Amino acid sequence: MIADFETGAVSVQQFTDTVSSLFPDNCLSNQDIVMAWQSVLGAPVAEIIHAARPLVASGRLLLASNTNPLHWRSVAACLLTSGIEAPAVLSFEVGHTKPSEKFFSAILEADQRVGDQAIFIDDLGRNVAAARQHGIPGRIHSDPQKTAEWLRELSAARWDS
């Protein structure tokens, strides 16, 4: 069910109805399920937000995420509040998740600059490896401070050249 939800095969209504039906007497409302589902999301990491803003300002940020419509609504609102508004390739919209070939094809189709100017950052090595197989250099994110520092250095180097 979750895989179908994250690839857009199941709507929010279908998802919440199915989860509700798993509990005795449908004791959870769809709104209860939405609130519980959203509770796993954390706040954006300030250091990464600050480091990403110059990329947003120069039109050089493309978000790519395995996500579902409920999580994306919350994440997009947090990003917007943080000053991050960028195009996105989202699994529930493209019907595929990372690390699938079709997800990376969707990234390449979303922005023609991806093929020769992108660097893919992800916390899962298998996703970074898949990006590299599609000709997109990758970096594994494991520490917010280090990723933010690397983004700042990358932004400065590219703008100075």
Side-chain angles (χ1 to χ4, degrees):
M1 171 63 85
I2 293 171
D4 286 344
F5 190 38
E6 293 210 336
T7 57
V10 171
S11 71
V12 171
Q13 186 69 48
Q14 291 169 314
F15 177 75
T16 56
D17 286 348
T18 300
V19 172
S20 178
S21 74
L22 298 173
F23 291 89
D25 301 320
N26 293 328
C27 64
L28 293 177
S29 70
N30 286 7
Q31 188 57 36
D32 292 334
I33 294 162
V34 168
M35 289 174 49
W37 194 252
Q38 300 297 60
S39 70
V40 302
L41 296 173
V45 177
E47 293 83 4
I48 292 178
I49 293 294
H50 292 304
R53 282 188 184 132
L55 298 169
V56 171
S58 65
R60 297 172 51 215
L61 181 67
L62 175 67
L63 303 169
S65 181
N66 288 349
T67 192
N68 59 70
L70 288 178
H71 283 173
W72 182 247
R73 275 186 230 154
S74 294
V75 169
C78 285
L79 290 172
L80 192 56
T81 299
S82 299
I84 303 293
E85 187 173 9
V89 175
L90 307 170
S91 61
F92 74 92
E93 292 180 343
V94 301
H96 306 282
T97 57
K98 299 176 281 184
S100 81
E101 181 176 328
K102 291 183 178 180
F103 188 88
F104 283 94
S105 293
I107 291 174
L108 292 165
E109 290 171 18
D111 190 325
Q112 62 211 31
R113 298 172 299 170
V114 169
D116 62 349
Q117 297 181 22
I119 297 173
F120 182 83
I121 302 169
D122 199 283
D123 60 343
L124 296 177
R126 69 177 178 266
N127 294 340
V128 173
R132 290 176 179 151
Q133 288 175 342
H134 287 84
I136 305 169
R139 178 178 173 89
I140 295 176
H141 161 73
S142 60
D143 178 294
Q145 305 293 338
K146 290 179 182 177
T147 298
E149 176 68 23
W150 184 79
L151 286 173
R152 284 190 293 275
E153 290 171 6
L154 177 69
S155 294
R158 290 220 173 160
W159 287 327
D160 292 341
S161 55

